[in-house]
């Protein structure tokens, strides 16, 4: 057959079994080329590895193998140049590439599919794509951690209120607060790394579901594609999408962390808090109110969590009732994964930009940290460690002192010691040493605590754990 021969077997890719073409609506619902063209590079890589193995095993002649490799190289260059033309009639990325290869090199193109099914082909392509996505997201998470660590070091001693129930609880430092997100995103990286380790097995060679009678070498293709090993069971190889579900689960948890940080940025920027400012680069105005500066980058990042949660639920629902091995339902696996990756990648980029951009307002943070009697716990601790009260009694005494100070409209370090002694005679002037915000902050020296020296040490440790490995 001439390389220029454009003839196709009966009913396109389905060959002689079908004498008629599909209905128009069938063609539309069956086609996936509108989204799975994103697997282009992975499909080329898988085909090159498969052809090389076929030649090595004597299943394909070296001449045909070279023709296939040259043709796939041409197709890759066409794609990179934006000249590759996709056809919905050819359904998916695999048939689009195969049809183009047939036009380029003729008969040898038909031998490429020897000992391979679209079932193991797409499973391989998809694993390769998800693996690349994991690597890209890990780099983005690392970059976000870098920005957070740098800002934490810069603001290791900047006082702000620590909240529980969004009520002032105890003073912390802004650096300590930012390092909490470094830990969260570090766990996200760990989850993606676990996902990558488990997905890194090759389905290629599993065929449609039962393997093949050809003497293939699955170790060869697995190694060529950077997999650790071939998948052990051909049925599992073509029907498993755990790797995609695990990717989506890790993405959903990461988006939860992005959303929480975004929410805090929204709160910190609000007039009621005024803890930070964002520049024009990450805010927008109002079409009616000229004074407005809205933290839209944070709000949009927060909102994208809903998309990723939905993507996870979509694929869980698709997979939950499928028997082994492959069902066409599994064509619906890619769009939620692509969407989740795109949403998370965009949100991570925006979040890293906002963290690097935001300008803390120290006076507002300190004023807020002084509200709500944030050193009450320090008073209770002093009553235990110095005055010798059991903690439950110290808790009660402290509560009475806070109530009296609140009635007088003063903070604890401004409340007369004599009035404290009227509530409990065991209190001495020494109690004043623990009642200021600065003193309370400096005393939090337990491992993982918020004392500025602790934060500086934690910054160095975080750099070593997350950025230097």
């Amino acid at each position: 057959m001439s390389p220029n021969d454009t003839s196709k077997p009966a009913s396109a890719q389905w060959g002689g079994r079908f004498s008629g073409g599909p209905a128009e609506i069938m063609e539309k619902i069956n086609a996936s080329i509108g989204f799975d063209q994103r697997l282009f590079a992975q499909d080329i890589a898988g085909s090159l590895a498969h052809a090389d193995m076929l030649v090595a095993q004597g299943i394909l002649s070296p001449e045909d193998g070279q023709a296939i490799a040259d043709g796939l190289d041409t197709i890759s260059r066409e794609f990179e140049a934006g000249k590759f033309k996709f056809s919905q009639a050819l359904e998916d990325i695999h048939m689009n590439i195969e049809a183009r290869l047939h036009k380029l090199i003729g008969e040898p193109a038909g031998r490429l599919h020897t000992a391979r099914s679209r079932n193991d082909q797409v499973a391989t392509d998809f694993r390769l794509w998800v693996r690349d996505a994991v690597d890209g997201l890990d780099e983005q998470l690392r970059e976000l951690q870098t920005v957070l660590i740098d800002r934490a070091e810069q603001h290791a001693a900047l006082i702000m209120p620590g909240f529980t129930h969004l009520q002032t609880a105890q003073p912390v430092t802004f650096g300590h607060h930012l390092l909490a997100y470094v830990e969260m995103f570090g766990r996200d990286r760990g989850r993606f790394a676990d996902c990558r380790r488990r997905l890194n097995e090759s389905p290629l060679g599993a065929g449609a579901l039962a393997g093949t009678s050809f003497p293939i070498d699955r170790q060869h293709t697995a190694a060529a594609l950077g997999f650790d090993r071939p998948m052990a069971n051909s049925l599992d190889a073509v029907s498993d999408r755990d790797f995609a579900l695990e990717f989506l689960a890790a993405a959903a948890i990461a988006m939860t962390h992005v959303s929480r940080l975004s929410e805090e940025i929204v709160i910190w920027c609000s007039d009621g808090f005024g803890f930070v400012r964002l520049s024009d680069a990450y805010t927008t105005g109002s079409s009616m109110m000229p004074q407005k500066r809205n933290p839209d980058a944070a709000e949009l990042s927060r909102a994208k969590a809903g998309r990723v949660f939905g993507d996870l639920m979509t694929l869980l629902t698709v997979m939950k009732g499928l028997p082994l091995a492959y069902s066409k339902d599994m064509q619906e696996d890619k769009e939620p994964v692509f969407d989740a990756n795109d949403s998370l990648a965009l949100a991570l980029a925006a979040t890293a930009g906002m963290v690097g951009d935001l300008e803390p307002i120290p006076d507002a943070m300190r004023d807020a940290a002084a509200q709500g009697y944030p050193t009450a716990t320090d008073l209770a601790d002093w009553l235990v460690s110095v005055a010798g009260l059991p903690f439950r009694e110290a808790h009660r005494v402290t509560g009475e002192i806070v109530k009296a100070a609140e009635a007088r409209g003063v903070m604890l370090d401004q409340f007369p010691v004599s009035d404290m002694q009227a509530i409990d005679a065991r209190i001495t002037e020494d109690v004043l040493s623990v009642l200021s915000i600065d003193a309370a902050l400096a005393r939090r020296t337990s491992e993982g605590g918020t004392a500025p020296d602790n934060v500086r040490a934690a910054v160095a440790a975080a750099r070593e754990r997350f950025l230097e490995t």
Side-chain angles (χ1 to χ4, degrees):
M1 183 179 292
S2 166
N4 296 318
D5 190 341
T6 59
S7 63
K8 294 184 288 185
S11 191
Q13 62 269 30
W14 303 121
R17 174 64 179 85
F18 290 80
S19 58
E24 182 180 356
I25 191 63
M26 179 60 192
E27 184 174 298
K28 288 182 178 179
I29 197 172
N30 199 43
S32 60
I33 190 59
F35 54 85
D36 71 8
Q37 60 186 262
R38 294 179 67 159
L39 301 176
F40 192 97
Q42 290 77 21
D43 196 73
I44 294 289
S47 291
L48 285 169
H50 184 66
D52 184 66
M53 180 274 296
L54 293 177
V55 171
Q57 293 299 106
I59 301 169
L60 189 67
S61 71
E63 293 76 18
D64 284 348
Q66 188 60 54
I68 289 169
D70 291 343
L72 290 173
D73 180 65
T74 297
I75 293 170
S76 291
R77 285 187 276 109
E78 288 177 348
F79 180 78
E80 291 169 2
K83 297 179 179 179
F84 188 90
K85 295 180 180 179
F86 295 97
S87 168
Q88 182 171 295
L90 292 171
E91 287 191 17
D92 58 28
I93 186 61
H94 323 296
M95 296 309 300
N96 269 263
I97 290 175
E98 185 174 327
R100 178 59 180 152
L101 184 65
H102 187 273
K103 288 183 178 180
L104 287 171
I105 68 172
E107 185 176 292
R111 296 193 172 99
L112 173 59
H113 210 55
T114 305
R116 185 175 70 168
S117 164
R118 282 200 297 177
N119 293 357
D120 63 334
Q121 185 178 2
V122 68
T124 302
D125 293 357
F126 199 20
R127 280 178 183 262
L128 289 172
W129 192 94
V130 172
R131 190 176 69 185
D132 290 342
V134 165
D135 291 345
L137 290 172
D138 180 74
E139 181 58 31
Q140 282 196 274
L141 285 162
R142 185 184 184 279
E143 290 173 1
L144 178 52
Q145 286 182 301
T146 300
V147 177
L148 286 163
I149 290 170
D150 288 345
R151 298 310 304 269
E153 182 175 40
Q154 184 180 358
H155 301 295
L158 176 57
I159 295 174
M160 70 174 291
F163 298 103
T164 61
H165 309 278
L166 207 56
Q167 305 293 316
T168 300
Q170 294 176 325
V172 297
T173 74
F174 190 48
H176 188 64
H177 196 112
L178 294 178
L179 286 177
Y181 285 99
V182 172
E183 296 298 319
M184 294 183 202
F185 293 125
R187 291 192 293 273
D188 291 325
R189 292 180 67 189
R191 274 181 282 271
F192 279 118
D194 287 344
C195 171
R196 191 190 197 284
R197 176 175 55 82
R198 272 184 287 275
L199 74 79
N200 206 38
E201 296 182 345
S202 175
L204 195 56
L209 75 162
T212 177
S213 60
F214 287 95
I216 63 172
D217 183 353
R218 294 189 64 207
Q219 296 288 342
H220 181 124
T221 51
L225 294 170
F227 289 114
D228 294 330
R229 63 191 69 82
M231 295 185 73
N233 183 282
S234 60
L235 282 167
D236 182 50
V238 298
S239 62
D240 169 58
R241 292 300 184 269
D242 287 359
F243 67 94
L245 288 168
E246 190 169 1
F247 174 84
L248 289 172
I253 296 172
M255 274 303 315
T256 301
H257 297 150
V258 169
S259 183
R260 294 184 73 180
L261 179 52
S262 296
E263 169 70 6
E264 298 220 80
I265 292 173
V266 171
I267 290 172
W268 294 340
C269 287
S270 68
D271 292 336
F273 281 73
F275 288 179
V276 303
R277 294 188 189 92
L278 286 173
S279 75
D280 293 351
Y282 293 94
T283 57
T284 64
S286 165
S287 63
M288 176 180 285
M289 298 169 286
Q291 81 280 12
K292 295 297 293 296
R293 182 189 290 273
N294 302 319
D296 281 7
E299 292 173 3
L300 290 166
S301 296
R302 180 178 60 186
K304 287 190 180 295
R307 292 181 63 134
V308 178
F309 298 167
D311 292 329
L312 172 58
M313 187 54 63
T314 294
L315 189 54
L316 283 168
T317 305
V318 167
M319 297 301 300
K320 61 110 181 139
L322 297 187
L324 296 178
Y326 182 83
S327 297
K328 194 67 171 182
D329 309 52
M330 293 165 68
Q331 183 168 291
E332 297 295 319
D333 58 359
K334 296 166 199 66
E335 286 183 284
V337 170
F338 295 160
D339 181 72
N341 178 76
D342 294 349
S343 297
L344 178 54
L346 184 57
L348 287 172
T351 303
M354 285 187 291
V355 172
D357 180 77
L358 61 83
E359 176 190 350
I361 304 173
D363 290 345
M365 287 186 172
R366 186 180 182 92
D367 289 347
Q371 305 301 313
Y373 301 93
T375 60
T377 303
D378 298 271
L379 172 56
D381 290 347
W382 183 93
L383 289 170
V384 171
S385 60
V386 178
L389 279 68
F391 183 79
R392 287 302 175 197
E393 185 177 355
H395 190 282
R396 178 190 60 78
V397 170
T398 300
E400 291 186 21
I401 293 173
V402 168
K403 183 178 180 180
E406 187 175 36
R408 196 171 298 183
V410 297
M411 302 306 296
L412 289 180
D413 57 346
Q414 300 167 337
F415 193 65
V417 174
S418 58
D419 289 346
M420 295 186 199
Q421 290 170 332
I423 295 172
D424 193 292
R426 288 166 288 189
I427 295 175
T428 68
E429 292 283 342
D430 181 66
V431 73
L432 294 175
S433 66
V434 303
L435 295 183
S436 72
I437 295 175
D438 295 283
L441 201 66
R443 287 163 56 85
R444 295 294 188 272
T445 57
S446 60
E447 186 173 355
T450 190
D453 286 345
N454 280 41
V455 175
R456 295 183 184 98
V459 163
R463 280 208 174 95
E464 182 177 354
R465 287 166 58 206
F466 297 119
L467 308 183
E468 298 176 5
T469 56

